[in-house]
Amino acid sequence: MKAQEGGCLCGNVRYRVKAEPVRGSACHCTFCQRRTGSAFGVGAYFNEADVEFTQRGPTRTYEHRSDESGRWLRMEFCLTCGGTVTWTAEALPGMRAIAGGSSDDPKWFQPRRFGWMRSAHPWIIAPPGVEVFQQGTLPTAKK
């Protein structure tokens, strides 16, 4: 795989990924709908060591705790344009997600999971061959 690059809208935060994603999903939960201002969020998850920041302008982190699992997601966004570029999840230690639309070539990545379909807009139809989950696609918490 050739390295993929991307960043925020204004270009203050730039990254390069050096491997194929370990997992990828489109999340239809109401949090991702609000976070993106769209119908769903798209994330490509990589081992943290495979994500390199080539330009690191000023960012801020926002931590969200799921009202279902109680686990955190930490979104990192550009302070200049507000674009979410990356996040980490308590459920996936050692991994970093890249916002699918932040890639210079967003068509290189195709999600293999559609999560939280119970919250999806009624006009969303999962493509053939994509795993569909009515709730999340992240590992469940150990009890």
Side-chain angles (χ1 to χ4, degrees):
M1 175 200 131
K2 86 173 197 183
Q4 296 291 329
E5 297 186 1
C8 65
L9 183 62
C10 71
N12 282 341
V13 179
R14 298 284 303 160
Y15 64 81
R16 177 180 300 122
V17 293
K18 304 173 272 190
E20 291 288 334
V22 174
R23 63 185 290 139
S25 60
C27 182
H28 300 266
C29 76
T30 54
F31 172 73
C32 282
Q33 290 175 26
R34 288 185 184 117
R35 175 182 65 81
T36 64
S38 187
F40 52 88
V42 176
Y45 290 80
F46 299 87
N47 290 315
E48 188 114 32
D50 293 329
V51 179
E52 169 190 6
F53 287 93
T54 57
Q55 184 168 318
R56 191 85 167 185
T59 61
R60 174 147 305 148
T61 300
Y62 173 72
E63 181 175 299
H64 169 76
R65 286 215 175 255
S66 168
D67 56 353
E68 294 234 358
S69 71
R71 294 181 301 201
W72 55 259
L73 290 168
R74 290 186 184 130
M75 274 59 61
E76 194 168 345
F77 60 94
C78 173
L79 276 178
T80 303
C81 67
T84 300
V85 177
T86 182
W87 63 89
T88 55
E90 184 177 8
L92 296 169
M95 298 190 79
R96 178 169 294 279
I98 298 296
S102 70
S103 176
D104 290 347
D105 178 13
K107 294 178 182 166
W108 76 272
F109 164 74
Q110 187 171 8
R112 295 181 296 264
R113 293 179 169 91
F114 270 35
W116 292 102
M117 286 299 286
R118 74 178 192 196
S119 303
H121 292 263
W123 47 266
I124 298 287
I125 299 169
V130 170
E131 291 181 277
V132 175
F133 298 85
Q134 291 304 308
Q135 290 182 280
T137 68
L138 296 175
T140 56
K142 293 182 172 116
K143 296 188 181 198

